[in-house]
Structures are given as C-alpha cells and as structure tokens.
C-alpha cells in the first residue's frame, strides 16, 4: 500500500529534477514498469533522463533512499528484465535517443542508448555502411536494450550477435560515478574486457549512457530463398547441406509447417518444414550463392524452392516469418515461448526430443527460428479457458529445457534471464562460475541498486 512517506519521497525525487523528467503518475508507473513479459510491474516512479546527469541523480537518489533502479529501453523484453516493482525507479531512456556520430572512415557509430536499432540501421545504410545485428524487434527495440541483452536476431548466422559490434560503453555505475570501457579502436587487448562483460548484463552492473558500435561496409545486394520440405527434419538437413556446399547465408530461418498453418489462420497440426535463406554480396556473388543453395536443398529433396532478389519480392518471402509470434497469440489466445539453443550438430535430434517430451506432457510445441546458430523459438500455445492447459504447458517447458541442457545447450540463446528464467540459471551454470558472477555483481553494485533480482540469482 502506498504510504504518506512514499508520497513524500516521490515529491523529493521530482524536486531533484527539472519539471517533466519525473512521472509519479500511477498509470505511467504500471505501463513503464511492465515489459513484453507481461509480468505486471508497478514502479515507485519513472525518471525520463535527457542527459547523463539525470541518470546519475536518479541512481544516487535510489542509493540514498533504499530504492533501486531499472533501466528501460523500449520494454520489449520477453523475460521481465525491464519489469519494475514497488521500490524501483524506472529509468526510461526514450528521450536519450540521439545518433551522435556515424563515421564510415572509422567504421563506428556513437549513439545514446534510446536510439531504435532500426533507426541506426537506416542511418548507416544511407552512408553506405551496415549495422549487422537485426533482432526481429529492430524497429521497436533500443540499442541500449539490445546491448544490455546482447540481442541476436535474423542475420546472426553470418554476422554474429550484438556483442560482436560493441566497441565501447560510457556508463554510470551504482555509486553514481561515470566510467568508460573500450573505445573507437576496432581492436584493443588492454586490461580485462569490461565491454564484453557489460554486454548482456541486463542493466545489473552499470547503466549505459553512450554506446560506440562497430559498422561494416554495406553489402551491395541480397537474395532470399524459401525452400519447403515434406518432413520436420528437412529444414535442418537443408541448413547442413547449404553450409556443406560452402555457402554461409546471413539468415537461415527454420519454420515448421505448424507455424506456417497458424500464420494462415489454420491451427491443424501437420508435418513438414520450410527454410528461409538469405545471402548477400555483389549481385554476381548473390546469383552464384543462390544457385548453390538451390542445388543443395534440391539434393536433399526440397518440394519447392522460390528465389527472390528484388526488395518487394524478398519482403513477401519474409512476411510469414515476421508474423509468427503475433499469429500464435491471435489463433490460440496464449502461449509460452522459449528461446532454447543447442550445439548445431544436434539441432534436428533435439527438436524431435522436445516435441516428443511436449506431447508426453499433453502440450503442443511449434518451432521456428535461427537454424544458422541453432537458437530456435519453441512456442507452446494453449487455450487459457481450458482446465489444465496451462499446467501441461508449464510441464512441457520444463521438459524442453531439460532436453536442451541434456544436449549440451542453453535455456536462453538471446532473450536473457530477467525474472522469468532466474530459477533456471543454476540448472545451466557451473556452481563455481556462478559464485564468480556473484562476486562480479557485488564488485560493481555492492548495495544492489542496479536492477536487482535479474540476470543471475544473487
Ligand atoms: C516481436 C519481438 C521480436 C523479438 N525478436 C528478437 C530477436 O530476434 N532477437 C533477440 O535477441 N531478441 C528479440 N526480442 C526480444 C527483445 O526485443 C530484445 O531483448 C531487445 O534487445 C530488448 O530491447 P528493449 O529496448 O526493448 O529493452 P528493454 O526490454 O526495455 O530492456 C531489456 C534489458 O535491457 C536493460 N537496459 C535497457 N536500457 C539500458 C541502458 N541504457 N543501460 C543498461 N541497461 C539497459 C533493461 O534493464 C533490461 O534488463 C524480440 C521481442 C519481440 C517483442
């Protein structure tokens, strides 16, 4: 229950900033305290910094008054990593959204954390450069959030994940002091790699106020292929055949036929799979790679192969892939979604085992995602109105995670831990390694001011 003391503290917080920076409005506190996980948040207050000083003031205020802070980009986290509760101040970065520099010669961009990933992609492309990380949420998620979660995405098969493009960070620490890691050099091996440590730390070690990101020259051309197979395993065999043919596509997206049926509005279970493949390079390179890809997938019995190398035609091939997540909600009403990873060579076997384990629990499991780096999205749809459906799905998710771990995999390939998977960390992480992580957390944030309770069990 809110108390007079809380209201007095909120007034002091608001007084520490210029007008309009702090919101104590109950609706804002719920909306901006809740993220894509749909775990209902209810923050103590929301601070919308426009500069680094505001970030420092908020962190120092939290530390001095028994509160903590939860940095927030766009709130698309599916794990609750940006969920804020009663004694937590949300630091909403939506107003620190300037692109400060895009330098083709240095091959870097410098941005504030609230810039949308898609906006940097477009700005880089306008000067012939390329920001490769491409989470499916690129248009709706921020670079600060992408760095804090080490977002993966659709081009990771060839270009890697966000971590591979973070050169330097400017941060505010839990004691309010500003520090910088890395810089503008494309290589540096001086000291411990704090940039890499902070990337993926879910706002638990430091709050970013400026990011220096690596750019590549823009590939001049891209071509997209869609291949269909009669069974669930065909898409995986095709990915192997393409790599064996010496082609490394930038995207290798698997979709089982169940998810394609769901996108078309028909939830009837069916077998079969598709693989969406995208290659890039010069137009001649793309033609050559596309021919080799088509030959490889035909050699393992593709039912059909479609090739598109113009923008609109390529978008049409991507359309189904991009609408899967929302279609599953639309058709079933509810789902759990897990982004499990396994060693590449065991992907087909692991997916078959996870589907079998789900059936044994009385739940359905439909699968799509990044076959190139063996990080798939396992969706467990259910009708919330049916008694026992949610319990069956919870059991299936637990069994799926056990399978991924048994195959030497991971419970989260790219979405992170947040609140939702905090109980899974011990299941996957070596006990001594976890102890060292806990020491790291205490070294950065001894009083637990920065997004406590997320990323690792404390
Ligand atoms: C439709 C959809 C598709 C998606 N596709 C992908 C995908 O392909 N690949 C993928 O990896 N993820 C994907 N995601 C998940 C999500 O978009 C990513 O995790 C994204 O990186 C979160 O960015 P955000 O700006 O929304 O951050 P938020 O959700 O606001 O925050 C995420 C984490 O970042 C921290 N954070 C935010 N800003 C800062 C800062 N300035 N300093 C320190 N910490 C900070 C927060 O505290 C939190 O821990 C998808 C989500 C949706 C809804």
């Amino acid at each position: 229950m809110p108390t007079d003391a809380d209201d007095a503290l909120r007034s002091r917080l608001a007084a520490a900033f210029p007008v309009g920076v702090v919101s104590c409005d109950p609706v804002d506190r719920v909306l901006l305290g809740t993220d894509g996980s749909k775990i209902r948040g209810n923050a103590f207050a929301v601070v919308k910094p426009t500069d680094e000083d505001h970030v420092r003031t908020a962190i120092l205020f939290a530390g001095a008054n028994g509160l903590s802070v939860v940095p927030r980009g766009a709130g698309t986290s599916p794990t609750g990593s940006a969920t804020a509760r009663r004694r937590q101040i949300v630091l909403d970065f939506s107003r620190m959204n300037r692109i400060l520099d895009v330098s083709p010669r240095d091959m870097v961009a410098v941005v504030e954390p609230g810039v949308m990933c898609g906006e940097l992609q477009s700005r880089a492309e306008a000067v012939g450069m390329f920001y490769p990380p491409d989470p499916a949420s690129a248009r709706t998620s921020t670079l600060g959030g992408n760095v804090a979660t080490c977002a993966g995405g659709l081009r990771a098969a060839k270009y890697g994940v966000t971590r591979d493009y973070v050169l330097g960070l400017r941060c505010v620490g839990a004691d309010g002091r500003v520090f910088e890691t890395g810089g503008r050099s494309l290589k540096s091996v001086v000291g411990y790699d704090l940039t890499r440590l902070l990337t993926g730390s879910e706002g638990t070690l430091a709050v970013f106020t400026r990011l220096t990101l690596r750019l590549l020259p823009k590939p001049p051309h891209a071509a997209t292929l869609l291949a269909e197979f009669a069974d669930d395993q065909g898409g995986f065999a095709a990915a192997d055949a393409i790599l064996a043919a010496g082609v490394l596509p930038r995207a290798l997206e698997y979709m089982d036929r169940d998810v394609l049926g769901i996108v078309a509005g028909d939830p009837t279970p069916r077998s079969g799979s598709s693989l969406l493949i995208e290659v890039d390079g010069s137009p001649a390179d793309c033609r050559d790679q596309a021919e080799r890809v088509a030959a490889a997938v035909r050699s393992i019995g593709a039912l059909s192969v479609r090739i598109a190398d113009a923008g609109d035609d390529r978008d049409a091939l991507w359309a189904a892939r991009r609408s899967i997540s929302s279609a599953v909600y639309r058709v079933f009403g509810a789902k759990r979604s897990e982004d499990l990873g396994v060693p590449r060579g065991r992907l087909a076997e692991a997916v078959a085992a996870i589907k079998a384990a789900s059936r044994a629990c009385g739940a359905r499991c439909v699968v799509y995602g990044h076959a190139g780096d063996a990080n798939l999205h396992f969706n467990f749809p259910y009708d919330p109105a049916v008694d026992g459906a949610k319990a069956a799905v919870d059991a299936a998710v637990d069994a799926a995670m056990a399978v991924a771990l048994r195959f030497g995999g991971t419970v989260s390939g790219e979405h992170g831990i947040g609140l939702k998977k905090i109980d899974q960390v011990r299941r996957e992480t070596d006990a001594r390694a976890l102890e060292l992580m806990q020491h790291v957390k205490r070294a950065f944030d001894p009083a637990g001011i920065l997004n406590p309770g997320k990323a690792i069990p404390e």
Side-chain angles (χ1 to χ4, degrees):
M1 288 299 288
T3 62
D4 290 349
D6 285 347
D7 286 340
L9 195 54
R10 287 193 182 99
S11 300
R12 278 180 46 218
L13 176 68
F17 293 87
V19 175
V21 173
V22 174
S23 170
C24 298
D25 176 75
V27 175
D28 275 358
R29 284 161 43 203
V30 172
L31 281 183
L32 294 171
T34 303
D35 63 15
S37 68
K38 301 187 177 62
I39 299 170
R40 193 172 192 276
N42 190 2
F44 185 79
V46 177
V47 174
K48 298 184 178 194
T50 58
D51 63 30
E52 188 175 81
D53 256 358
H54 293 162
V55 177
R56 291 188 59 240
T57 305
I59 291 175
L60 290 170
F61 187 94
N65 291 286
L67 303 171
S68 57
V69 299
V70 178
R72 178 185 176 95
T76 62
S77 166
T79 67
S81 63
T83 304
R85 284 152 314 174
R86 234 173 58 76
R87 305 300 294 171
Q88 302 192 303
I89 298 172
V90 171
L91 271 176
D92 170 7
F93 278 95
S94 56
R95 292 179 183 170
M96 283 183 71
N97 60 355
R98 288 177 305 158
I99 296 179
L100 302 171
D101 185 18
V102 175
S103 166
R105 273 196 86 197
D106 283 356
M107 297 172 71
V108 302
V110 182
V111 300
E112 291 184 326
V115 173
M116 294 291 169
C117 176
E119 196 190 335
L120 177 64
Q121 289 172 339
S122 305
R123 277 286 288 279
E125 287 178 26
V127 293
M129 300 303 285
F130 182 52
Y131 180 64
D134 188 32
S137 57
R139 302 261 150 219
T140 53
S141 66
T142 66
L143 290 161
N146 292 174
V147 173
T149 56
C150 185
L154 303 171
R155 300 196 281 234
K158 178 171 178 178
Y159 290 107
V161 296
T162 299
R163 171 181 292 128
D164 302 310
Y165 296 88
V166 187
L167 291 174
L169 296 169
R170 184 173 166 97
C171 308
V172 182
D175 58 2
R177 281 193 290 176
V178 174
F179 65 95
E180 295 192 6
T181 71
R184 243 177 130 93
S185 303
L186 297 181
K187 288 166 79 179
S188 167
V189 288
V190 176
Y192 296 132
D193 191 344
L194 293 185
T195 309
R196 217 170 160 88
L197 174 63
L198 293 173
T199 303
S201 64
E202 298 187 17
T204 62
L205 301 180
V207 178
F208 314 140
T209 53
R210 196 186 300 162
L211 320 168
T212 302
L213 303 170
R214 181 175 188 182
L215 303 176
L216 298 181
K218 183 182 168 211
H221 196 70
T224 307
L225 297 92
L226 182 67
E228 289 181 293
F229 304 90
D231 59 16
D232 283 9
Q233 309 295 309
F236 300 124
D240 288 345
I242 292 165
L243 297 175
V247 180
L248 180 57
R250 70 180 185 186
L252 269 173
E253 291 292 303
Y254 175 89
M255 295 170 279
D256 69 16
R257 198 162 289 163
D258 274 345
V259 294
L260 291 175
I262 292 166
V263 167
D266 177 2
T268 316
R270 59 196 81 202
S271 58
S273 56
S274 293
L275 191 67
L276 188 62
I277 306 131
E278 192 157 275
V279 295
D280 63 8
S282 70
D285 271 351
C286 287
R287 255 192 317 277
D288 172 59
Q289 292 181 73
E291 277 164 21
R292 283 155 68 199
V293 167
V297 300
R298 286 194 182 106
S299 76
I300 59 131
L303 298 175
S304 68
V305 187
R306 287 156 66 195
I307 306 180
D309 73 352
D312 287 353
D313 298 342
R314 287 178 39 226
D315 288 349
L317 293 190
W318 274 99
R321 167 65 184 89
R322 292 194 193 278
S323 58
I324 294 170
S325 184
S326 51
V328 179
Y329 272 120
R330 198 177 57 243
V331 171
F332 289 92
K335 68 167 179 172
R336 279 192 67 180
S337 173
E338 299 298 330
D339 71 316
L340 309 177
V342 292
R344 261 213 90 255
R346 306 200 69 188
L347 193 51
E349 205 187 337
V351 169
I354 287 172
K355 286 194 167 184
S358 299
R359 279 193 298 275
C361 295
R364 189 161 171 202
C365 172
V366 301
V367 181
Y368 65 97
H370 321 306
D373 51 18
N375 170 210
L376 294 183
H377 299 297
F378 295 84
N379 279 201
F380 302 83
Y382 62 96
D383 180 346
V386 171
D387 270 356
K390 168 80 167 57
V393 160
D394 288 345
V397 167
D398 194 64
M401 288 183 181
V403 172
L405 293 175
R406 197 169 73 238
F407 278 76
T410 177
V411 296
S412 179
E414 61 182 15
H415 289 166
I417 297 303
L419 293 170
K420 276 198 162 170
K421 291 193 183 174
I422 199 79
D423 295 337
Q424 306 301 328
V425 177
R426 282 201 169 82
R427 220 168 155 185
E428 175 167 334
T429 312
D430 174 89
R432 177 63 185 144
L434 179 56
E435 229 173 71
L436 291 169
M437 291 180 203
Q438 290 162 334
H439 288 313
V440 168
K441 169 69 178 169
R442 285 195 286 275
F444 275 86
D445 180 21
I449 293 165
L450 304 180
N451 211 3
K454 318 281 174 59
I456 60 162
E458 285 160 29

